């Protein structure tokens, strides 16, 4: 069966939905950020501070290539920043974009300090959101508009996509 790659902006719910799919539908799930934190023994924020974004992107490319033994893979919001990631995802599975509006993201990440690229002026956050949105849209095989949907509803839609692609 093809894998599902969840893509989308920070705070769009990729990891939460992935965990739900694991707990409710017994899908083998992994999160690239979590994998990187475990293997480097460092938090993402610390990797950015000590080694820089470029090094983080290298860890991310490598993680994505290695993590082929799972049904559902939640990616970091910046997975679209490197072209080789498109190839990895397209070769192994189906790409689902969890599209969440900017106001909704703003409200979810109001108190977040764990994400280095969220730690900037609102205008810069919005620019990043707009730029990334068109990148996610371009590579997605399927888009789910998540505003107003429950985790359960989003997960059901994903299971539907998986079942149609068995
Ligand atoms: C990033 C998103 C984060 C994490 C890192 C960089 C980005 O993941 O990979 O902070 O470039 O958008 P989430 O999308 O899970 O927050």
């Amino acid at each position: 069966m093809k894998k599902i790659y969840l893509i989308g902006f920070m705070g769009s719910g990729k990891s939460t939905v992935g965990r739900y799919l694991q707990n409710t539908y017994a899908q083998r799930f992994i999160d690239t950020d979590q994998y990187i934190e475990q293997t480097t023994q460092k938090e993402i924020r610390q990797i950015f501070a000590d080694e820089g974004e470029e090094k983080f992107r290298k860890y991310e490319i490598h993680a994505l290539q290695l993590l082929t033994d799972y049904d559902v893979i939640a990616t970091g919001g910046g997975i679209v920043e490197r072209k080789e990631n498109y190839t990895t995802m397209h070769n192994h599975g189906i790409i689902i974009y969890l599209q969440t509006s900017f106001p909704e993201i703003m409200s979810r990440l109001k108190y977040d300090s764990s994400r280095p690229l969220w730690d900037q002026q609102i205008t810069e956050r919005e620019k990043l959101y707009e730029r990334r949105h068109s990148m996610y849209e371009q590579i997605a095989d399927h888009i789910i508009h998540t505003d107003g949907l429950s985790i359960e509803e989003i997960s059901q839609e994903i299971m539907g996509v998986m079942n149609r692609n068995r």
Side-chain angles (χ1 to χ4, degrees):
M1 190 163 73
K2 283 190 165 177
K3 292 166 207 327
I4 294 289
Y5 290 96
L6 298 177
I7 65 166
F9 203 71
M10 298 172 250
S12 59
K14 296 159 291 184
S15 311
T16 309
V17 167
R19 272 194 302 274
Y20 186 90
L21 289 166
Q22 180 174 44
N23 296 333
T24 312
Y25 297 101
Q27 299 299 316
R28 290 169 303 170
F29 166 68
I30 188 90
D31 180 321
T32 55
D33 282 342
Q34 199 191 329
Y35 175 82
I36 293 168
E37 289 190 329
Q38 276 164 6
T39 50
T40 59
Q41 290 289 300
K42 272 185 184 183
E43 290 183 350
I44 304 285
R45 171 166 279 285
Q46 206 53 48
I47 299 174
F48 269 70
D50 294 350
E51 306 175 48
E53 179 173 352
E54 191 49 44
K55 192 67 194 276
F56 173 76
R57 298 293 170 211
K58 293 217 166 85
Y59 290 142
E60 203 172 33
I61 289 167
H62 188 60
L64 200 65
Q65 287 169 349
L66 279 180
L67 299 175
T68 50
D69 244 6
Y70 293 86
D71 305 311
V72 180
I73 298 123
T75 63
I79 206 78
V80 285
E81 296 290 352
R82 295 293 180 274
K83 284 275 185 300
E84 45 267 72
N85 294 333
Y86 297 15
T87 317
T88 307
M89 293 191 284
H90 277 306
N91 284 346
H92 291 98
I94 298 164
I95 305 176
I96 299 184
Y97 171 23
L98 300 188
Q99 195 202 330
T100 307
S101 70
F102 187 69
E104 176 65 28
I105 301 265
M106 281 288 286
S107 107
R108 289 187 196 173
L109 299 185
K110 210 180 208 161
Y111 303 109
D112 185 90
S113 58
S114 66
R115 294 168 166 96
L117 295 180
W118 187 246
D119 191 11
Q120 51 181 338
Q121 297 283 320
I122 294 185
T123 48
E124 295 306 310
R125 290 175 178 174
E126 202 162 7
K127 261 193 234 160
L128 182 65
Y129 176 90
E130 292 302 335
R131 187 170 69 79
R132 292 266 183 87
H133 167 64
S134 40
M135 294 160 100
Y136 300 135
E137 249 188 341
Q138 268 179 29
I139 68 157
D141 298 306
H142 189 89
I143 300 177
I144 302 179
H145 298 271
T146 68
D147 286 16
L149 293 186
S150 65
I151 302 205
E152 193 178 0
E153 287 168 324
I154 299 167
S155 303
Q156 278 168 358
E157 191 164 336
I158 294 172
M159 288 308 295
V161 173
M162 284 178 103
N163 289 331
R164 283 198 296 278
N165 286 280
R166 262 180 207 283

